[in-house]
Amino acid sequence: MTGPRAAAHAVVVAGARPNFVKAKPVLDALEAAGLRTTLVHTGQHYDEAMSGVFFADLDLRVPDHHLAAGSGSHAVQTAAVMTAFEPLLAELAPDVVVVFGDVNSTLACALVAAKAGVRAAHVEAGLRSGDRGMPEEINRIVADRLCADLFATSPDAVEHLLREGTEPRDVHLVGNVMVDTLLARRDEALARPVLAGLGRRPGDYGLVTLHRPANVDDPAALDGLLGALSEIAASCPLIFPAHPRTAARVAGRLPSSVRVIGPVGYLDSLALQAGARIVLTDSGGIQEETTVLGVPCLTLRDTTERPLTVTEGTNRVVGRDRRVVVTAALDTLEHPPPPRRPALWDGR
Ligand code: UD1
């Protein structure tokens, strides 16, 4: 006679800010389905502001393993995650590894799992900006080639995967787990005192986030964007939570109508988005969050891997030319787009 079958074991990998938000509902669902889960934090983001506050805000449990990979060039960071994850994976010998999104930790752990012969699942598969100048685009393409199960948030993502030769049976259109987290936490976020603490009220400010290397590491692009923000702030004061990559580069270069603060946690980020008249960003996740919140968003990039936020949401991709950005912002403040939300982005 054989004993009861051991529960399947899933290793869930999270490394950077946007991963934490997606890992929470998936961990909860895997556990509710009776799987054994192990949470691995790669340490790509490690600060209280970039990591700790997200665990607290999301009620994410303390990771079972922390790889302490830290910052570095792409090769250094990716290699640090791989080197630390390989022996851990051998020790854990799970049935499946789950990776999220498009950060270096995603690529690193998908690659280690594939070579170790462990089945890997990619949540948020198939997004493509078409711009291989973005490190995330490379991470997306490679992670999708390596993972056996591809969970997509939108029909365009499914199309990309099929066009690239993925078998239809490996692709699952499941909706957006980041939206699940958002809708579960929205009320709690709206009760946060962050706006009052900044002397603002809902609808009387705009929100800015910038952290893409193409925007903040390129002096000419950054000059144009800071010029645009200064002009827009004359019509609508702006709050700018600055990513560590960005903070030093913008210090002292903006008028007082652009209030630069440190990076904010998950709930405060939602609260700031929900109360904003307009959001100007180069983030991927914020394009989706603003769509779900019904807040107008201008994406300060030339492409988006999330076209549904444009065709079925509140997002406009406006690039980084100063005049174009200012014109689009003033137009959006005057004529905000109506809120609408893509199918399956329903919190379930
Ligand atoms: C990474 C992701 C990006 C995601 C972003 C969210 C990649 C290639 N990029 O970019 O897709 O949108 O996270 O924030 O994976 N730093 C700290 N504290 C930390 C972590 C980083 O101060 O806890 C600073 C370091 O100076 C580091 C810099 O931020 O060099 C950049 O961090 P890194 O993880 O390399 O990339 P992000 O720009 O955060």
Side-chain angles (χ1 to χ4, degrees), residues 17 44-47 50 71 103-104 136 211 243-245:
R17 234 169 23 172
Q44 175 170 348
H45 285 170
Y46 43 83
D47 279 352
M50 300 293 285
S71 300
V103 302
N104 286 341
E136 293 81 4
H211 74 283
H243 184 283
R245 181 190 280 289

Side-chain angles (χ1 to χ4, degrees), residues 22 26 53 55 60 75 78 87 105 150 159 161 217 224 228 255 260 263 276:
K22 296 160 199 163
V26 173
V53 64
F55 279 73
L60 254 176
T78 307
S105 300
L150 300 170
E159 272 168 41
L161 293 168
D217 294 351
V260 181

Side-chain angles (χ1 to χ4, degrees), residues 165-181:
T166 308
E167 292 293 338
R169 64 166 184 273
D170 298 335
V171 181
H172 317 281
L173 178 62
V174 290
N176 192 322
V177 292
M178 212 180 69
V179 178
D180 299 1
T181 304

Side-chain angles (χ1 to χ4, degrees), residues 48 51-60 185 267:
E48 175 57 24
S51 172
V53 64
F54 285 78
F55 279 73
D57 279 1
L58 294 162
D59 296 320
L60 254 176
R185 296 310 177 103
L267 294 172

